[in-house]
Amino acid sequence: MKKKLCLLASAFYMGAALAAPSGGNSAKSNTGLEALPTSNDFYLYPIQFIFDSAGKIQTVNIVNTSKLNLNAQINLKEYKQDFRNGKLVESMADILATSAVRPGVLITPVVLTNIPGAQKQIVRILATRQESDIELSYRASVKSLTPTSLSKSGTIMEIGYTVPIFVLPKNIREDYQISYVSEKNTAYLKIANTGNVHVAFSKITANNVVLKLDQSRLLAGKWEMVALPTSISKSLATNKKLVVEVTKFKLTDFSNTMIESRIITIN
Amino acid sequence: MLHMNKNILIKVGGLLLACSIKLAWSEIISQNFNTKLTVDSTCSLEGMPDVVDVVTSLNTEVRIPLSFSIKCNFDDSITLIVDSPQAKTDGYFLVDDKGNLLPYSLVINSVIQTKQKQTVVQPNNAYQVDLVFPGTTMKNVAGKYTGVISFVINY
C-alpha cells in the first residue's frame, strides 16, 4: 500500500516538475515580474549526459514553449577549465571540422528548423570514442536562430543553453582531495580532483558555513582554491579543526547525492 | 458491541492510513528535494524581451535595464553567461548602419559581477541586469546598433 502511495505521489511530483518551467508566455510570472514580450522561448532536458561506453545513444528533448516556430542550432564544443586571475573558470573551445582528433561524440541533427509552438524535437547524441584512462568532456551549445524578419528592428535578445556531455574512461578513478592552505594571511580550502573523471559538487560546507565555489563541477585533474570566510579563519586560531562536509552527485546517477565528511586538523 | 468495535477498527484503520499517506508524502518530498536533480530537470528563462534598441552617442553612457527570471524545477545553482557580442566566432556583434562595430564593454550590475559576463545564480529568483554601453571618445560610434546579445544558461 505504502509503495503504491509512494508511486502515486512520485507520479504527481514528476508531473508538477515537468510543468514547472512553463516558458515566458504567461501574463505574469510567479516572481511578480510583469512578463514582457519574450524572445523565442524554449527549454531542454535532460541537462547532462554521461556515456559509460562508446556506441551508445542518448536523446535531448528540445521543447518550444513559444507560439512561434523555433529554429535552433547546436554546436559541439570542448569543455575545458583554466585557472585565470586566481580563479578556476570555464572555457569552451570550438571543435573545428579540420581538427586532427575527431570528437568523441556526434550530435544529430545540429540544425533544427520550424519546431512548431508547444512541440518538442528530439536530438540524438552518439558516443563514438572512449579512452582508456581519460574522460572526454564536451558541451553542446543550443541557441535559437533569430528570425530574419526581426533582425532589422533592433538588437535581438536570444536565449541559449549549454549541457555537459561526458564519455567516461574504461578505467574509472574517482578521487578528490581537500586540504587547508594559508597564503598571504588568507585561509583557503584547496579542492582538487585527483581522479580521471569529473566530480560534481552540490554543496560544500566548512564548519557548517556554505562555501562559494568557482566551479561546482571539477573536471579531471583540476583544482580550485576557495577562500574561507573570515569568521572561520579567525576561529581556526583557537579551534584547530576544520570540519568539511561535501555533498556530491554520484558519477553515473546525478539524481542521487552522497554526503562525505572530512576533518582537517590545522597544524 | 461488535458494531462499536467495527467503528473503532475503521477509525484506527483510517488513522493508520492517514499516517502512512503522510509518511509516504514526507518520504517522497524529502527524497526528491534532497536529490534535487532528475532526468527531467530543466530551467527556462522568462521575461527577456525579444528586441531592444541600442542607440548610443559620443561620450554618453547608455544603460539598458532588463528584468527576467530563471525558473527551474530543482534548486541547485546554475551559471548564467552573457555572450559577448564582440565574439566574432559566433557571428554575434553590434554594428550600426554604416557597418561600424560598437566598441563597448558589457557591464552588468546587480547579482552579476561587473565585467565577469558569467555568474552563478540561484534558480527561481527574479533578476535585473543593466547592459551598459560606456561613452567613448572614438569617432563614428554614434548611431543605432543591430546585432544579437545572447543569454546562456550553462548547466
Side-chain angles (χ1 to χ4, degrees):
Chain A
M1 179 66 183
K2 192 177 153 188
K3 200 171 180 181
K4 276 186 184 172
L5 283 166
C6 286
L7 285 170
L8 191 69
S10 179
F12 181 83
Y13 169 77
M14 291 300 284
L18 271 170
S22 58
N25 293 321
S26 57
K28 191 171 184 175
S29 71
N30 64 356
T31 56
L33 291 171
E34 289 292 340
L36 296 163
T38 54
S39 44
N40 265 347
D41 280 336
F42 72 100
Y43 67 88
L44 53 80
Y45 65 93
I47 58 172
Q48 77 169 1
F49 298 87
I50 295 176
F51 291 91
D52 57 9
S53 68
K56 288 191 175 175
I57 292 175
Q58 295 187 41
T59 55
V60 194
N61 298 276
I62 295 172
V63 185
N64 179 9
T65 54
S66 80
K67 289 173 184 168
L68 303 170
N69 283 5
L70 171 71
N71 297 318
Q73 185 169 2
I74 304 175
N75 289 310
L76 182 67
K77 292 171 184 272
E78 268 187 88
Y79 179 5
K80 293 179 170 181
Q81 288 178 332
D82 307 302
F83 219 66
R84 282 186 218 147
N85 303 324
K87 279 181 175 280
L88 187 69
V89 294
E90 183 183 323
S91 63
M92 283 180 270
D94 287 329
I95 295 174
L96 304 173
T98 51
S99 173
V101 182
R102 70 185 170 95
V105 295
L106 193 65
I107 301 176
T108 186
V110 289
V111 176
L112 312 172
T113 53
N114 292 326
I115 305 172
Q119 297 289 315
K120 76 174 179 184
Q121 162 97 41
I122 287 174
V123 172
R124 289 178 171 79
I125 305 174
L126 166 70
T128 57
R129 184 162 59 88
Q130 183 184 34
E131 298 289 331
S132 58
D133 283 308
I134 304 166
E135 180 183 59
L136 302 173
S137 52
Y138 302 96
R139 272 194 179 277
S141 163
V142 185
K143 285 182 181 171
S144 60
L145 291 171
T146 311
T148 49
S149 56
L150 286 175
S151 61
K152 288 177 183 173
S153 60
T155 302
I156 310 295
M157 312 302 289
E158 279 197 343
I159 295 170
Y161 300 87
T162 73
V163 289
I165 304 169
F166 297 102
V167 184
L168 301 177
K170 286 173 187 163
N171 308 310
I172 294 172
R173 272 186 296 108
E174 275 187 272
D175 194 20
Y176 66 93
Q177 302 291 327
I178 294 183
S179 55
Y180 171 82
V181 177
S182 180
E183 277 181 12
K184 297 176 185 171
N185 296 325
T186 306
Y188 296 93
L189 209 58
K190 182 180 178 182
I191 304 160
N193 181 356
T194 48
N196 66 354
V197 289
H198 70 280
V199 185
F201 299 109
S202 175
K203 188 171 73 174
I204 296 183
T205 63
N207 291 357
N208 293 321
V209 177
V210 179
L211 302 179
K212 194 179 175 190
L213 307 177
D214 291 337
Q215 299 289 323
S216 59
R217 190 187 291 115
L218 275 183
L219 297 183
K222 299 296 177 184
W223 52 272
E224 63 183 303
M225 302 279 274
V226 183
L228 292 171
T230 318
S231 58
I232 294 180
S233 52
K234 278 183 181 172
S235 72
L236 288 175
T238 50
N239 174 22
K240 301 280 185 186
K241 201 171 71 173
L242 200 55
V243 179
V244 181
E245 195 172 87
V246 176
T247 309
K248 64 186 273 290
F249 292 102
K250 289 185 177 174
L251 182 64
T252 53
D253 176 13
F254 64 89
S255 64
N256 273 313
T257 52
M258 53 195 293
I259 299 174
E260 295 170 344
S261 288
R262 298 189 183 189
I263 297 172
I264 300 170
T265 306
I266 315 296
N267 295 318
Chain B
M1 189 66 183
L2 187 67
H3 181 69
M4 242 181 90
N5 280 345
K6 257 187 186 174
N7 273 346
I8 290 166
L9 277 172
I10 289 166
K11 279 181 185 171
V12 171
L15 193 67
L16 283 171
L17 181 65
C19 285
S20 65
I21 288 171
K22 197 176 174 188
L23 187 67
W25 259 113
S26 61
E27 277 184 9
I28 287 297
I29 287 167
S30 70
Q31 279 171 15
N32 282 305
F33 282 89
N34 283 337
T35 52
K36 298 173 185 173
L37 295 179
T38 69
V39 287
D40 301 310
S41 293
T42 188
C43 297
S44 66
L45 200 147
E46 293 190 4
M48 188 67 71
D50 275 333
V51 180
V52 294
D53 276 340
V54 178
V55 183
T56 187
S57 57
L58 291 172
N59 301 317
T60 307
E61 181 189 271
V62 178
R63 189 171 285 260
I64 301 170
L66 298 170
S67 296
F68 56 88
S69 61
I70 300 166
K71 288 183 75 178
C72 303
N73 58 6
F74 58 90
D75 60 3
D76 234 36
S77 58
I78 51 166
T79 306
L80 182 70
I81 298 175
V82 182
D83 261 14
S84 167
Q86 291 182 2
K88 289 183 185 175
T89 49
D90 275 343
Y92 294 160
F93 47 85
L94 301 187
V95 290
D96 66 9
D97 55 358
K98 297 179 187 109
N100 295 317
L101 188 72
L102 177 60
Y104 81 99
S105 63
L106 192 65
V107 181
I108 300 168
N109 65 7
S110 183
V111 293
I112 298 182
Q113 291 168 21
T114 302
K115 294 180 183 177
Q116 279 271 313
K117 295 184 183 176
Q118 69 173 51
T119 192
V120 175
V121 294
Q122 214 59 38
N124 306 317
N125 287 336
Y127 293 99
Q128 178 161 332
V129 299
D130 284 357
L131 297 176
V132 179
F133 301 86
T136 173
T137 54
M138 288 177 70
K139 289 180 181 175
N140 300 324
V141 294
K144 183 175 177 177
Y145 287 79
T146 57
V148 177
I149 297 174
S150 198
F151 286 76
V152 178
I153 291 176
N154 208 38
Y155 291 116

